[in-house]
Amino acid sequence: MAADRELTELPGVGERLAGRLLALGLRRESDLLFHLPLRFEDRTRITPLNRVRPGATALIEGRIVHQAIRYGRTRMLTATLADDSGQLGLCLFRFFPSQLKLLAEGNRLRCYGEVRLAPGGLQMAHPQCEPLSEDESPPLPESLTPVYPTTQGVSQAGLARLIQMALERLRGGELELQDLLPVAAGNPGLVQALSTIHAPRPNENLAALLDGSHPAVQRLALEELAAHHLALARMNLARARQRAPELEDAAGFTRRLLDGLPFTPTGAQRRVIAEIQGDLARQRPMRRLLQGDVGSGKTVVAAAALVTAAAAGRQAAIIAPTEILAEQHYRNLSEYLAPLGLDIVWLAGKIQGRARTEALERLGGSAQVAVGTHALFQKGVNFRDLALVIVDEQHRFGVHQRLALAEKGKRGGRQPHQLVMTATPIPRTLAMTAYAGLDISVLDELPPGRKPVATVAASQQRRAEVIERLERALKEGRQAYWVCPLIEESEVLEAEAAETRSRELAAELKEFRIGLIHGRMKPAEKQAVMADFSAGAIHLLVATTVIEVGVDVPNASLMIIENAERLGLSQLHQLRGRVGRGSEQAACVLLYKPPLGETARARIEVMRSTTDGFLIAEKDLELRGPGEVLGTRQTGALRFRIADLERDGELLEQATVVAGKLSAGRQDLLIDRWVGAAEQFVDA
Ligand code: ADP
Ligand code: MG
């Protein structure tokens, strides 16, 4: 069988590009073929210039009969293209000398772009242009041109070239992809399905290809669902053989913990604690996901699990993705667990020297609970008897990192119990499959007395009013966040934007101390800024989206989010969760740049009308679809490349049936094709 090559073996793909392609989930040549287009461009025919219509996208051909540079607010290059039928304006708002040359009078060009009605007549702005020789026009493609989702550092043209190359090799039989599922009569085989998807004829049903209802896409979705079904069944089989220590709270630690709290646990907290303790009492390793909105009180639940392991005479560890968060856990847990007099060890990268040696000694001996960062699962850290691992904000850890910690609890074929916690609410329908194999608990009740964050939207034009409001709040001794999210897909630009904004705000609000935090700062710098903010030494914190996860500053009760129209619902929700943690009525201002698109308007409306994370997640799903709801931030969760649970729900049953009928060899191939390394799946 012809080899499915690694991407680095393809001409023109080095380690760097391969690394970037991996970010798109592309590892092998066959993966390229399962990367579906976002849309298609029709470059199969040339539209005569007297037939182009405003609003339409067209391929046109002609000769430049006029060129000029206009000087207005910016320099603009305009040109007129003519063919036998008529003329059309071209314009470039920003241009390079090479473009000036390309659009010189007398040149023949082929252009592709959107036509619109400008004051001077019909016009194509920023067309893609290809120079033509005097007497010859290259042949037109016979199929439509796909446009693919791509990522930073991977050009559209480069990606399309790789995919077309893979498709050529597939059609030519050099790359062989076996049809692993029986092909039903009237349905396309794999090669035909992939050809249709990546090189559709102009008369193909494009709407169906794009919304996924086309038989070519459905065929792939069915394969993928079958592969996941098989992988899941294997995982369950492997898990059924695993053993874990039974952890029972015979000493009554949980009751003492709960009785000692300064508040009464909510019904949801009690219910989830019982669910977890039910798991811990079994000989099978717990694999449970705890979903709970920001502020729902997951830490108390974690505490109950930790003391249960301690009561059973064993050790438990909880890790958080950053030192700030881990330290916050250490503080809170020390307080919660104080009545029990347990030995709690704190470990993070910054703990060095004697303190570290001492911490390591206790982990190997007297420690009952460990709290820390990934420092806890590094080499040289050994536990006496680690029986429970809790991971907070699990999506911030890679699968491998989590496994490294679990590894420390392995003893003679015995596995530690695992609990992962997340504040990113995922609708149940998605969670079932995205976290296949994990049992799910939900904290669906907030502690009483929380006042929902009052949320308003304001156009950028009302910035002055917003600044006034901010100043009033700061004068009252409150603290605030000013968030400048992604303006371009670049951390560098994002950091720059935040820096500029913090300078501007510092000039406008002279009496107050303005801090700045962004993703390009070193961890120690970020920590110092957060510590100052926590202590009240910084009044206004200008931030990029790095503040998104888990930091608790109860006195911060106002948040202003710039460019709110660019953020997704779950991100807005996570950000807003940073305020409203104290007794003050908190507020959030969503600053947007008009005009608002339909989806952006809908998102802002949702944010104004509710603070319920699950409701927001459901709306997010409606507005964006599941692929994006899970998004790249959910690494470690299962994601589908092609199948869509909302859309393809009815394929699930069929997938189960066909999967079951396959030979073991085909099952292996199918899992390998769609799910990849199966052992990653087993312990995830
Ligand atoms: P999260 O789920 O976001 O991790 P935390 O565990 O940090 O939430 O809890 C948020 C805040 O709510 C903390 O200050 C905590 O002390 C408080 N809290 C937790 N449970 C309750 C409860 N049942 N009643 C009142 N306050 C609670
Ligand atoms: Mg938390």
Side-chain angles (χ1 to χ4, degrees):
M1 191 166 89
D4 183 5
R5 298 181 293 181
E6 294 290 317
L7 291 181
T8 41
E9 293 171 53
L10 304 185
V13 184
E15 290 292 339
R16 235 168 103 118
L17 181 56
R20 290 169 176 164
L21 291 167
L22 192 60
L24 292 170
L26 309 175
R27 197 182 299 271
R28 292 176 297 194
E29 198 173 8
S30 60
D31 293 334
L32 289 168
L33 295 169
F34 299 126
H35 192 64
L36 302 196
L38 280 176
R39 57 188 171 85
F40 298 94
E41 293 177 350
D42 188 353
R43 300 175 187 232
T44 60
R45 63 210 152 79
I46 288 169
T47 309
L49 293 179
N50 66 348
R51 301 278 298 276
V52 297
R53 294 285 167 264
T57 303
L59 186 72
I60 54 178
E61 211 176 271
R63 189 183 299 280
I64 300 286
V65 292
H66 180 73
Q67 185 192 60
I69 295 176
R70 297 256 170 82
Y71 295 89
R73 256 185 313 162
T74 54
R75 241 162 38 117
M76 178 168 104
L77 173 63
T78 64
T80 307
L81 190 78
D83 68 3
D84 297 339
S85 75
Q87 294 194 339
L88 186 80
L90 304 178
C91 79
L92 298 173
F93 295 105
R94 262 189 234 119
F95 57 93
F96 296 107
S98 60
Q99 288 168 314
L100 197 64
K101 234 166 97 185
L102 184 66
L103 269 61
E105 259 174 54
N107 285 357
R108 285 189 67 227
L109 294 180
R110 189 178 277 177
C111 305
Y112 183 83
E114 191 182 323
V115 178
R116 54 183 198 189
L117 198 55
L122 286 180
Q123 191 183 62
M124 196 179 265
H126 289 270
Q128 299 168 27
C129 300
E130 181 190 355
L132 299 178
S133 68
E134 204 37 55
D135 42 8
E136 223 186 352
S137 301
L140 293 166
E142 282 166 28
S143 47
L144 301 179
T145 308
V147 177
Y148 295 98
T150 179
T151 186
Q152 209 179 2
V154 179
S155 73
Q156 180 61 233
L159 181 59
R161 181 186 68 89
L162 288 174
I163 295 174
Q164 290 304 321
M165 242 163 48
L167 186 64
E168 282 316 309
R169 280 173 37 86
L170 178 74
R171 284 165 163 168
E174 294 147 277
L175 167 65
E176 197 179 329
L177 282 189
Q178 226 182 316
D179 258 308
L180 295 170
L181 298 190
V183 181
N187 278 340
L190 193 55
V191 177
Q192 197 200 327
L194 291 170
S195 294
T196 307
I197 289 169
H198 293 291
R201 299 286 155 158
N203 60 358
E204 194 58 71
N205 182 349
L206 292 186
L209 270 182
L210 293 176
D211 74 21
S213 60
H214 195 287
V217 182
Q218 289 282 294
R219 202 214 118 73
L220 298 181
L222 181 67
E223 250 202 62
E224 186 173 32
L225 291 171
H228 277 266
H229 169 77
L230 288 170
L232 184 57
R234 285 191 184 188
M235 178 178 75
N236 286 335
L237 214 66
R239 289 233 178 117
R241 286 195 293 266
Q242 292 178 342
R243 288 285 166 266
E246 294 158 62
L247 304 177
E248 250 165 313
D249 182 12
F253 278 13
T254 313
R255 196 182 35 77
R256 280 165 62 194
L257 163 79
L258 298 182
D259 287 349
L261 293 174
F263 46 75
T264 318
T266 62
Q269 283 170 323
R270 287 186 185 281
R271 191 193 70 236
V272 172
I273 290 172
E275 284 167 1
I276 291 171
Q277 289 186 327
D279 286 359
L280 294 177
R282 287 195 200 104
Q283 286 187 359
R284 289 238 269 128
M286 167 173 78
R287 290 285 192 285
R288 189 170 281 277
L289 170 75
L290 169 57
Q291 286 192 52
D293 212 341
V294 214
S296 60
K298 293 185 288 297
T299 319
V300 169
V301 175
L306 295 169
V307 302
T308 304
R314 304 188 189 259
Q315 295 176 302
I318 177 165
I319 53 167
T322 64
E323 281 194 5
I324 305 174
L325 280 174
E327 202 159 7
Q328 192 169 295
H329 275 321
Y330 179 60
R331 269 201 312 275
N332 291 335
L333 288 168
S334 299
E335 208 180 296
Y336 293 165
L337 306 191
L340 295 170
L342 300 183
D343 185 12
I344 309 177
V345 173
W346 152 242
L347 191 67
K350 70 172 178 195
I351 310 277
Q352 291 295 336
R354 289 252 319 257
R356 182 177 155 86
T357 315
E358 190 235 2
L360 293 184
E361 254 172 45
R362 281 160 65 206
L363 289 176
S366 61
Q368 289 163 294
V369 170
V371 185
T373 59
H374 57 274
L376 274 176
F377 46 77
Q378 276 160 359
K379 271 216 199 85
V381 179
N382 295 304
F383 289 85
R384 165 173 52 85
D385 188 5
L386 181 63
L388 166 69
V389 168
I390 303 181
V391 179
D392 195 14
E393 304 297 352
Q394 63 83 30
H395 60 274
R396 298 273 300 252
F397 288 95
V399 173
H400 295 292
Q401 291 180 299
R402 235 181 310 141
L403 294 183
L405 186 53
E407 200 62 41
K408 297 206 181 282
K410 279 197 184 153
R411 213 156 253 124
R414 203 198 69 184
Q415 304 264 341
H417 295 281
Q418 288 184 46
L419 174 69
V420 296
M421 310 201 292
T422 178
T424 311
I426 300 165
R428 274 176 192 278
T429 43
L430 288 184
M432 302 257 301
T433 310
Y435 292 106
L438 293 186
D439 295 308
I440 296 173
S441 291
V442 182
L443 278 180
D444 49 7
E445 183 185 348
L446 288 183
R450 292 277 162 80
K451 292 182 206 132
V453 180
T455 303
V456 295
S459 138
Q460 263 180 6
Q461 288 144 358
R462 288 169 50 201
R463 186 171 181 280
E465 276 169 59
V466 173
I467 298 274
E468 253 172 56
R469 173 170 186 174
L470 172 62
E471 197 167 5
R472 271 201 310 277
L474 296 178
K475 277 202 176 120
E476 285 166 17
R478 295 160 63 181
Q479 287 169 280
Y481 294 100
W482 185 293
V483 185
C484 333
L486 227 61
I487 291 171
E488 309 257 353
E489 286 292 322
S490 145
E491 217 180 38
V492 181
L493 293 176
E494 191 184 36
E496 274 173 16
E499 268 165 36
T500 312
R501 187 62 80 243
S502 76
R503 272 198 304 274
E504 282 169 18
L505 288 167
E508 282 172 285
L509 301 161
K510 286 206 182 63
E511 298 166 52
F512 301 99
R513 246 189 96 191
I514 318 284
L516 170 67
I517 188 163
H518 60 66
R520 307 258 310 160
M521 285 159 58
K522 297 209 177 72
E525 294 172 328
K526 281 193 244 182
Q527 207 150 330
V529 172
M530 276 323 294
D532 281 352
F533 189 54
S534 259
I538 288 175
H539 306 113
L540 172 67
L541 183 61
V542 177
T544 58
T545 46
V546 297
I547 57 158
E548 196 181 334
V549 166
V551 175
D552 215 349
V553 181
N555 190 45
S557 56
L558 174 62
M559 172 172 285
I560 293 149
I561 306 179
E562 267 192 87
N563 295 312
E565 78 280 2
R566 291 170 189 261
L567 292 178
L569 269 178
S570 56
Q571 218 177 357
L572 286 169
H573 176 66
Q574 291 289 313
L575 284 168
R576 186 173 61 179
R578 299 301 109 222
V579 293
R581 309 198 131 214
S583 46
E584 289 279 346
Q585 167 67 57
C588 175
V589 180
L590 304 173
L591 265 184
Y592 63 85
K593 190 170 163 196
L596 277 183
E598 203 176 309
T599 319
R601 185 180 300 279
R603 277 204 292 258
I604 286 179
E605 195 40 50
V606 172
M607 288 301 291
R608 279 176 32 183
S609 62
T610 181
T611 50
D612 176 337
F614 280 90
L615 194 64
I616 290 176
E618 299 283 354
K619 293 284 179 198
D620 204 15
L621 182 62
E622 271 170 41
L623 290 171
R624 297 201 295 174
E628 286 193 60
V629 173
L630 292 176
T632 48
R633 295 186 304 143
Q634 296 295 326
T635 43
L638 275 186
R639 271 188 296 151
F640 291 103
R641 296 197 235 175
I642 291 170
D644 171 336
L645 293 175
E646 301 285 295
R647 182 189 74 201
D648 305 327
E650 68 271 33
L651 285 182
L652 277 169
E653 202 183 316
Q654 196 191 340
T656 314
V657 175
V658 288
K661 289 188 183 150
L662 297 179
S663 68
R666 285 192 164 214
Q667 293 189 344
D668 286 344
L669 287 171
L670 198 66
I671 294 178
D672 183 55
R673 176 180 296 170
W674 290 98
V675 184
E679 65 278 16
Q680 176 169 329
F681 208 98
V682 173
D683 278 319

